[in-house]
Amino acid sequence: MERIYLDHNATTPLFQEVREIMALSLKNNFGNPSSTHYFGQKSRAAVEYARESVAKLINASPAEIIFTGGGTESDNTAIFGAVAASGVSEPHIITTVIEHPALLEACNCLEKRGCSITKIGADKYGRIRTEDVADSITSNTVLVSVMMANNELGTLQPLKEIAEALSETDILFHTDAVQCGGKHNIDVRELGVDLLSLSGHKMNGPKGVGVLYVKRGVIIPPYVMGGHQEKGIRAGTENVAAIEGLGAASEIWRNNYELAEKIKRLRDFFEKEVLENISGAVVNGSTEYRVCNTSNISFDNVDGGALVINLDLKGVCASSGSACFSGLAEPSRVLTALGCSPERAKGSVRFSLGINLEKKDISRAVTVISKAVHEIRSI
Ligand code: PLP
């Protein structure tokens, strides 16, 4: 059975060129980039080339790019680093209820250590209001962290507006842009952020490698300690092959903007077909402010978890926002935060598209989804 992969927000397949570059890197660039001899300097050059590629993708300068062990580590480094750098004895962080656990759990940990955290709610489309951020600022606020696009809904946030609201303050502004890497234009200067997280495996690069953009002049202490690598912010011998893979993926996305346009056309076609062919289907989140590949749909009288299993058996891979704890499916935390009823939240499935898909795959997926929804409803 030929399977159709519609779960690119969970992870993405490697670009073929990335696979080839990584294989060559594993063979040829084994040297430690910190070694001063030939082999070390060959690896160093490869890491610096990748740094330039990532910098170009987000309009940063290479000196502002720190390689990390993934999106989670980038988020943790930003949050813990911003608080430690502030020197404020009772720091306050403003974030949102719809952030990824990589962010929220770091904040929860800091809360136990005496920080106060304000988690702003979202409107029914999953959008954060800039006024809510501005109204939450206190004299102790050291950091605002608002994700660029939500992983369940794809909803984009008004980052530029929030940065403007913070412009007269010395509060650091971080964004988790993990779900935007490659497929959405990221210009750190235009956005006005101080810190930004990316992850290799969400942009057809490898797993276990990420980026923290740290704006020139912003000083944060290391989160991982024990060496001078990555400007002292992230100690540890660099994962050269993964970094080269992430650099190559950045270059491919930067030189092929039409890839994102194609994915958007397919996503819009997918959504139109689902809504036209399946009764009781409704799109969650904003359709106006949304990253190009994501479609979160609730189906009346259908359990999203059961639908995902049924689809998998039929060769379509998607994801349900609900988390299964001790056999009980909890409705998605994000959809609940938007004010969706528990039934609508439990009936939701996240379809996330990516490279290697064609219109015929989407048509076949819609036929399969229609059949699966019908089967579940008739039980
Ligand atoms: N932030 C967001 C929005 C994500 O979707 C994810 C992964 O799903 C992460 C952070 C964590 O990234 P990583 O898997 O690279 O640790």
Side-chain angles (χ1 to χ4, degrees), residues 230-245:
E230 297 304 300
K231 294 176 80 186
I233 294 178
R234 205 281 183 171
T237 304
E238 296 88 339
N239 185 346
V240 179
I243 289 172
E244 279 195 73

Side-chain angles (χ1 to χ4, degrees), residues 2-5 8 12-16 19 204 259 262-263 266 353-362:
E2 207 176 312
R3 294 186 183 271
I4 302 174
Y5 185 71
H8 290 80
T12 55
L14 294 179
F15 281 124
Q16 189 188 327
R19 218 166 43 230
N204 308 95
L259 271 179
K262 180 185 167 197
I263 293 170
L266 288 177
L353 283 61
I355 62 162
N356 304 332
L357 287 168
E358 298 300 337
K359 205 167 170 185
K360 67 172 176 20
D361 304 314
I362 301 302

Side-chain angles (χ1 to χ4, degrees), residues 123 126-131 133 146-149 155-165 173 175 191 193 289:
D123 68 14
R127 291 266 289 175
I128 303 302
R129 281 171 290 257
T130 304
E131 312 85 85
V133 176
V146 176
M147 71 199 317
M148 191 167 184
T155 305
L156 291 159
Q157 301 301 340
L159 297 185
K160 218 170 133 185
E161 225 178 85
I162 296 172
E164 272 158 26
F173 185 24
T175 188
L191 288 173
V193 293
Y289 303 100

Side-chain angles (χ1 to χ4, degrees), residues 17-81:
E17 296 90 326
V18 168
R19 218 166 43 230
E20 287 164 8
I21 283 170
M22 288 181 72
L24 279 178
S25 173
L26 288 167
K27 184 166 171 241
N28 299 327
N29 294 340
F30 66 88
N32 185 329
S34 296
S35 300
T36 51
H37 52 59
Y38 170 82
F39 289 105
Q41 290 313 293
K42 206 159 159 295
S43 291
R44 167 60 51 210
V47 167
E48 296 316 315
Y49 183 82
R51 200 185 306 282
E52 269 178 42
S53 301
V54 174
K56 280 184 194 150
L57 181 72
I58 62 172
N59 193 25
S61 88
E64 297 171 313
I65 301 298
I66 303 297
F67 288 116
T68 68
T72 302
E73 192 187 302
S74 297
D75 284 349
N76 276 251
T77 306
I79 305 306
F80 284 96

Side-chain angles (χ1 to χ4, degrees), residues 126-370:
R127 291 266 289 175
I128 303 302
R129 281 171 290 257
T130 304
E131 312 85 85
D132 291 346
V133 176
D135 292 347
S136 304
I137 295 172
T138 72
S139 55
N140 279 7
T141 307
V142 296
L143 176 74
V144 170
S145 184
V146 176
M147 71 199 317
M148 191 167 184
N150 179 265
N151 42 300
E152 285 190 36
L153 304 168
T155 305
L156 291 159
Q157 301 301 340
L159 297 185
K160 218 170 133 185
E161 225 178 85
I162 296 172
E164 272 158 26
L166 299 174
S167 62
E168 301 295 311
T169 73
D170 50 13
I171 299 168
L172 290 179
F173 185 24
H174 167 255
T175 188
D176 174 338
V178 162
Q179 290 295 347
C180 288
K183 64 196 178 201
H184 191 79
N185 181 38
I186 302 176
D187 182 328
V188 288
R189 309 266 175 250
E190 203 184 297
L191 288 173
V193 293
D194 299 299
L195 300 155
L196 179 142
S197 305
L198 290 174
S199 169
H201 74 105
K202 309 287 186 180
M203 47 189 284
N204 308 95
K207 296 170 180 55
V209 66
V211 164
L212 182 64
Y213 156 78
V214 182
K215 187 178 167 184
R216 192 191 307 273
V218 171
I219 297 172
I220 55 166
Y223 176 68
V224 176
M225 279 157 274
H228 55 266
Q229 294 91 348
E230 297 304 300
K231 294 176 80 186
I233 294 178
R234 205 281 183 171
T237 304
E238 296 88 339
N239 185 346
V240 179
I243 289 172
E244 279 195 73
L246 173 51
S250 302
E251 206 165 313
I252 294 169
W253 280 109
R254 187 169 62 87
N255 293 330
N256 295 280
Y257 273 122
E258 69 283 0
L259 271 179
E261 280 158 24
K262 180 185 167 197
I263 293 170
K264 181 179 182 308
R265 275 197 305 277
L266 288 177
R267 190 274 316 272
D268 291 347
F269 171 67
F270 168 81
E271 212 159 67
K272 185 173 142 292
E273 290 291 297
V274 168
L275 297 182
E276 276 177 16
N277 291 294
I278 307 175
S279 62
V282 53
V283 175
N284 294 310
S286 169
T287 49
E288 190 179 355
Y289 303 100
R290 190 164 50 151
V291 74
C292 65
N293 75 323
T294 310
S295 179
N296 188 308
I297 301 184
S298 285
F299 299 90
D300 283 354
N301 303 318
V302 169
D303 179 85
L307 180 55
V308 164
I309 293 168
N310 190 312
L311 289 176
D312 189 33
L313 294 172
K314 293 179 168 60
V316 172
C317 303
S319 152
S320 134
S322 58
C324 201
F325 299 113
S326 0
L328 290 172
E330 290 292 320
S332 146
R333 165 181 68 78
V334 171
L335 288 177
T336 306
L338 266 53
C340 284
S341 66
E343 291 70 32
R344 178 165 166 180
K346 275 190 182 170
S348 82
V349 173
R350 177 187 72 185
F351 302 96
S352 47
L353 283 61
I355 62 162
N356 304 332
L357 287 168
E358 298 300 337
K359 205 167 170 185
K360 67 172 176 20
D361 304 314
I362 301 302
S363 298
R364 186 156 76 84
V366 174
T367 306
V368 170
I369 296 165
S370 179

